Amino acid sequence: MTFPFRANGPICGRINRRTFLADVGLGFTGLAMGAMLQRDGLARADALPAWQPPDGRPHLAPRAKSVIWIFLSGGVSHLESFDPKPALTKFAGKTFAATPYPDPLQSPLFHERSRAVVGGERPYPKIFPLQVGFKKHGRAGVEVSDWWPHLASCVDDMAFVRSMYTTDNDHAAEFQMHHGRHALDEKQPVLGSWVHYGLGTLNENLPQFVFLGQYKDARVKQDFAPDYLGPRHAGVELSLDPSNPLPFAARGKGVLAQEQQEQFAFVHELNSLAAAEHPEDEHLRARIKSYELAFRMQKAVPEVLDLNRETLDTQRLYGIDNPTTAIYGRRLLAARRLAERGVRFTLVYLSDYGEWDSHLDLRNLHARSCGRVDKPLAGLLKDLKRTGLDRETLVVCCSEFGRTPGLEVRDTYKMPTGRDHHPHGFTVWFAGAGIQRGVVHGATDELGFHAVEHPHYVTDIHATVLNRLGLDPRRLDIPGRKRLDIDHGSPIQEILS
């Protein structure tokens, strides 16, 4: 056998000294650079372990197993719910500047915490009085408006955070509440997807991230979108229609269970071959997982969503016996049953998209919406407590923002009777596993405008939820996906037990 002669290289397959140094470190310059990088800790391959995706185990000792995240779309008035301000009635009709309190429109917080998207700043300085009365409830004397009589009876089991703020003054704040980013910024995965990504399953037959609710606006899908985590971490929509709880996943008419099982086995074999050929195809992997889960769900989901298995007393507790509250009670009871069976994160879209957006006629519209959800919400908390599920299930109830202390006045509204969007200060409440009971944390100013005492951006809610599940959001970061400190948030320590 002969070897080709290389005129410019050494014989016998050896390499010369210059080529060797160039290959291993770009010559002497590369060696020097390597030494400096080693000294600075940038090229120390053995110093930092290689990144690994989550293994499903918590980073911290968890205090909760499951989360029921309840969202009220449109912007619930914090002033007519859980943060009433008597000064609004006392100074009704006056401007902020005419009160003895600091003018919130002149506060630096007004511009620091708000990035207008549409409609400008819309300050509305003419004070609008409270549209409902309020009373103190529970051992701590928590003020709750008269529109929430059932939930008021639960305040000793709840933690209210009255100092939330966000930065979007339009309804993209709804999606911001779920993924933490302003509409003008790059999106992030939603909280439910981070939970799905970080923790292992507790029930192989059910999805780990579920969406319960109805919507007509397709933008609502952003509330359960996984973004760069990939489609396998998206929320799974379940229907409360007992005849079709799994849209597009039920076995076809005339198809026997054995036949379908053989079909799935054949599809799985084809998918496995494709996966071996395209190992980096995230969408393919997600599709395989969804087929496998869909087959298992066909038995598990109808059982878990069969609310008739619950006693009549339980159904009445949620208001299912009343047409006004029935659909809302069914969603919350279904969420309890999902949590009971190990679903990690259930997003309950309790109201229609934008339902609480009371630019006009706030008194009647908010009264109607409160009447729909007050008893079901209280029923959920009471049911969790009596069954002991409150020791392992965390409940969060939120809206995208509050509503302005000032009366909304726009040309299109000839008879102003409502409040506009208000991102500067509003209330969120927690209950259940790992949460103190009967506490109020933070405060807005005397007019209910700015979050001034222990202010919290929306990702602090995310950090609190992840902390109770035993997850550290910084340890979920993915190389190449830059997340900011504000994306991670900080747990609200004052409400943790």
Side-chain angles (χ1 to χ4, degrees), residues 115-180:
R115 296 168 62 192
V117 178
V118 296
E121 294 168 347
R122 305 190 295 193
Y124 303 121
K126 185 178 179 181
I127 295 175
F128 190 41
L130 294 178
Q131 299 298 289
V132 65
F134 66 92
K135 299 181 184 67
K136 293 185 177 182
H137 295 269
R139 293 187 296 271
V142 179
E143 298 98 339
V144 179
S145 92
D146 295 341
W147 283 335
W148 301 89
H150 296 283
L151 210 51
S153 68
C154 302
V155 295
D156 285 338
D157 296 313
M158 302 165 69
F160 298 88
V161 180
R162 288 177 170 171
S163 53
M164 297 304 310
Y165 74 92
T166 188
T167 58
D168 197 322
N169 72 341
D170 201 45
H171 291 290
E174 170 171 328
F175 318 126
Q176 185 176 13
M177 178 61 75
H178 292 91
H179 60 57

Side-chain angles (χ1 to χ4, degrees), residues 94-391:
K94 296 182 180 295
T95 63
F96 297 136
T99 73
Y101 306 116
D103 185 348
L105 300 180
Q106 303 305 314
S107 168
L109 297 176
F110 184 67
H111 293 288
E112 287 175 8
R113 294 181 182 164
S114 180
R115 296 168 62 192
V117 178
V118 296
E121 294 168 347
R122 305 190 295 193
Y124 303 121
K126 185 178 179 181
I127 295 175
F128 190 41
L130 294 178
Q131 299 298 289
V132 65
F134 66 92
K135 299 181 184 67
K136 293 185 177 182
H137 295 269
R139 293 187 296 271
V142 179
E143 298 98 339
V144 179
S145 92
D146 295 341
W147 283 335
W148 301 89
H150 296 283
L151 210 51
S153 68
C154 302
V155 295
D156 285 338
D157 296 313
M158 302 165 69
F160 298 88
V161 180
R162 288 177 170 171
S163 53
M164 297 304 310
Y165 74 92
T166 188
T167 58
D168 197 322
N169 72 341
D170 201 45
H171 291 290
E174 170 171 328
F175 318 126
Q176 185 176 13
M177 178 61 75
H178 292 91
H179 60 57
R181 287 286 184 94
H182 191 279
L184 301 178
D185 296 330
E186 181 186 17
K187 300 297 183 290
Q188 292 286 313
V190 297
L191 175 60
S193 293
W194 282 118
V195 173
H196 187 287
Y197 173 72
L199 288 177
T201 180
L202 296 175
N203 188 330
E204 293 284 353
N205 298 322
L206 292 172
Q208 294 309 292
F209 178 15
V210 167
F211 174 90
L212 291 175
Q214 295 177 324
Y215 58 90
K216 296 179 181 178
D217 194 312
R219 290 176 297 176
V220 173
K221 292 183 178 181
Q222 296 180 53
D223 293 341
F224 49 98
D227 203 77
Y228 58 74
L229 289 180
R232 64 175 296 189
H233 300 294
V236 175
E237 296 182 66
L238 296 182
S239 168
L240 294 184
D241 179 356
S243 64
N244 187 26
L246 275 174
F248 312 112
R251 191 166 64 244
K253 290 184 178 180
V255 179
L256 299 177
Q258 182 62 32
E259 288 180 290
Q260 188 188 52
Q261 187 172 3
E262 292 173 355
Q263 291 172 359
F264 270 92
F266 178 62
V267 171
H268 177 73
E269 184 176 351
L270 295 178
N271 284 334
S272 298
L273 294 173
E277 185 176 353
H278 305 284
E280 302 302 321
D281 190 335
E282 176 68 24
H283 289 274
L284 178 59
R285 291 202 301 272
R287 192 178 304 118
I288 293 172
K289 290 287 186 182
S290 67
Y291 280 136
E292 295 171 348
L293 178 60
F295 182 72
R296 297 193 300 269
M297 286 168 58
Q298 287 183 355
K299 287 186 177 180
V301 169
E303 183 277 330
V304 72
L305 296 183
D306 183 1
L307 306 185
N308 290 325
R309 294 172 181 258
E310 298 286 340
T311 66
L312 292 178
D313 284 344
T314 297
Q315 295 183 46
R316 282 192 288 265
L317 184 65
Y318 285 82
I320 294 176
D321 59 327
N322 184 335
T324 301
T325 55
I327 183 59
Y328 311 99
R330 288 174 60 82
R331 289 173 189 166
L332 291 171
L333 179 53
R336 190 224 77 195
R337 288 174 64 85
L338 288 166
E340 189 175 29
R341 287 156 178 78
V343 171
R344 289 288 194 183
F345 194 99
T346 300
L347 165 55
V348 184
Y349 203 71
L350 198 56
S351 305
D352 293 337
Y353 177 74
E355 176 177 333
W356 295 83
D357 196 22
S358 299
H359 295 275
L360 277 176
D361 200 16
L362 183 142
R363 177 176 296 174
N364 290 319
L365 293 179
H366 260 51
R368 181 197 65 184
S369 294
C370 290
R372 291 172 172 175
V373 303
D374 176 41
K375 184 172 183 179
L377 286 168
L380 171 67
L381 297 187
K382 293 174 181 178
D383 196 19
L384 292 174
K385 186 175 182 179
R386 72 177 186 177
T387 58
L389 286 170
D390 62 332
R391 294 190 291 271

Side-chain angles (χ1 to χ4, degrees), residues 74-78 118-124 128 169-171 356-360 362 401-410 413 418-423:
V76 177
S77 174
H78 58 299
V118 296
E121 294 168 347
R122 305 190 295 193
Y124 303 121
F128 190 41
N169 72 341
D170 201 45
H171 291 290
W356 295 83
D357 196 22
S358 299
H359 295 275
L360 277 176
L362 183 142
F401 39 51
R403 306 210 72 84
T404 53
L407 175 67
E408 176 168 346
V409 181
R410 281 196 262 181
Y413 299 143
R419 305 185 189 276
D420 197 14
H421 312 160
H422 192 72

Side-chain angles (χ1 to χ4, degrees), residues 33 93 276 322 444 485:
M33 178 66 74
N322 184 335
T444 52
D485 285 343

